Amino acid sequence: MEHRRTPGMLTLVSPAKVNLFLRILGKRADGYHELASLFQAIDLFDTLHFSLAKEDTLTCSDPTLSCDHTNLVIKALNLFRRKSGLQFCMKLHLEKRIPTQAGLGGGSGNAATTLWALNALHNFKFSENELQTWSSEIGSDIPFFFSHGTAYCTGRGEKVRDLPKLTLSPLSLFKPPEGVSTPEVYKALNLQLCAKIDPEKLLEDFYSGDPFFLNDLEEPAFRLLPLLRHYKTSLLEKGCSFAVMSGSGSSFLSVGASSSNLRKSVRRAVGSWYEEV
Ligand code: C5P
């Protein structure tokens, strides 16, 4: 993932992820949900520029994104300094391409990339395993980004089992203009309405060439934002062979949208940003 390296400076790409399936298994005493999900990194990415500096600054190509302590890049910087005991400041710039509130893990990937970069700038003082463990303190999806790209994640998402590369047809991603908030989607979840399928069986089916795409967070997301159900129906009506939401939404992944006519009609129906990954 490394682009270019000069002393004290680094430019890295920070990929997005999709959830090929996402099962919610129950609610935990700490308020989080126990999940089981097949995560896949995709070739849609942000770019992050790092340089050692006299004071901390974060700038972003997307002016709507906050660049203060709430940004996961700053949270990762503060986490690395706290864990390592090292004192330094950074000038950071984020070129954003991954849509936010999309269920594509853009912010989580940015945090993982930041931890990796800071460690690289300090001569790889810490192992990737250490960075991965630390990262779970600031977000459940961040540890996945230390995997090799395909992983089965359990617990609240932070237990990562690396898996062999999957052979899948190219996926199409649709991001409706509307976004949804992850905590709100989890709050709206009714566990009684979740699928009953054993996630280990779903995993087996993906590797035996009979994938079944499923997401237990669709139902609460659709209840919060009914337009999302309409988008899913439109994708199917326009000829996509399946359409499933990624993470807590609002983007959908699909196959079978590769003809340009279909893409145009889907774009008209969903009014959405489209990318093939
Ligand atoms: O861990 P992260 O900060 O990404 O989670 C955001 C929110 O999503 C949490 O505050 C929680 O409301 C919800 N969540 C959950 N169960 C998970 C992951 C996230 O309830 N496994």
Side-chain angles (χ1 to χ4, degrees):
M1 68 181 177
E2 194 165 341
H3 264 171
R4 168 160 33 96
R5 189 142 189 224
T6 48
M9 291 175 81
L10 203 50
T11 293
L12 298 175
V13 298
S14 171
K17 60 84 180 162
V18 289
N19 300 85
L20 299 176
F21 68 77
L22 173 55
R23 285 280 349 265
I24 304 293
L25 307 175
K27 185 150 187 198
R28 308 168 12 151
D30 63 6
Y32 281 87
H33 291 79
E34 199 67 19
L35 59 79
S37 179
L38 179 56
F39 278 60
Q40 175 63 56
I42 56 172
D43 56 355
L44 166 67
F45 55 86
D46 295 335
T47 304
L48 272 157
H49 303 272
F50 303 88
S51 43
L52 288 164
K54 290 214 165 64
E55 58 178 15
D56 289 339
T57 49
L58 170 63
T59 50
C60 181
S61 59
D62 175 354
T64 66
L65 261 195
S66 94
C67 286
D68 60 11
H69 65 282
T70 60
N71 191 300
L72 275 164
V73 169
I74 299 294
K75 286 190 183 180
L77 171 61
N78 290 332
L79 177 76
F80 185 86
R81 281 192 292 230
R82 195 167 73 245
K83 294 287 186 184
S84 66
L86 295 166
Q87 288 183 354
F88 61 92
C89 291
M90 294 298 300
K91 183 176 167 209
L92 308 149
H93 180 69
L94 171 58
E95 283 167 41
K96 203 77 197 156
R97 280 186 66 221
I98 306 170
T100 54
Q101 293 210 317
L104 299 175
S108 299
N110 293 165
T113 303
T114 301
L115 290 173
W116 196 93
L118 300 180
N119 197 37
L121 290 170
H122 291 92
N123 300 316
F124 299 99
K125 199 166 189 292
F126 304 95
S127 70
E128 282 195 25
N129 270 348
E130 280 171 292
L131 302 180
Q132 188 178 40
T133 306
W134 297 349
S135 74
S136 68
E137 292 184 22
I138 56 170
S140 308
D141 286 353
I142 306 173
F144 161 72
F145 289 93
F146 290 94
S147 74
H148 296 151
T150 306
Y152 183 56
C153 300
T154 53
R156 61 183 166 85
E158 89 289 13
K159 293 183 186 156
V160 179
R161 191 207 299 172
D162 250 304
L163 291 173
K165 199 167 157 15
L166 263 172
T167 319
L168 287 173
S169 323
L171 294 168
S172 307
L173 260 186
F174 297 92
K175 168 66 180 74
E178 299 80 7
V180 275
S181 132
T182 302
E184 292 300 315
V185 172
Y186 274 103
K187 224 183 285 166
L189 177 76
N190 178 348
L191 285 167
Q192 306 299 325
L193 301 178
C194 290
K196 304 285 178 278
I197 309 171
D198 179 356
E200 295 279 350
K201 169 83 173 79
L202 287 170
L203 193 57
E204 251 177 64
D205 291 347
F206 262 90
Y207 280 90
S208 63
D210 185 23
F212 186 67
F213 297 79
L214 169 154
N215 184 346
D216 280 336
L217 293 180
E218 273 189 354
E219 198 279 328
F222 291 0
R223 231 170 331 109
L224 276 180
L225 189 59
L227 254 179
L228 292 180
R229 190 186 302 279
H230 157 74
Y231 292 146
K232 176 165 174 148
T233 311
S234 301
L235 288 169
L236 297 173
E237 280 171 357
K238 300 290 171 198
C240 295
S241 52
F242 75 90
V244 72
M245 207 177 73
S246 178
S248 56
S250 61
S251 63
F252 287 90
L253 59 143
S254 165
V255 286
S258 52
S259 90
S260 70
N261 277 349
L262 177 60
R263 274 207 306 263
K264 272 188 213 136
S265 79
V266 165
R267 207 194 293 261
R268 264 198 305 277
V270 182
S272 94
W273 174 88
Y274 164 87
E275 181 115 10
E276 195 150 300
V277 289

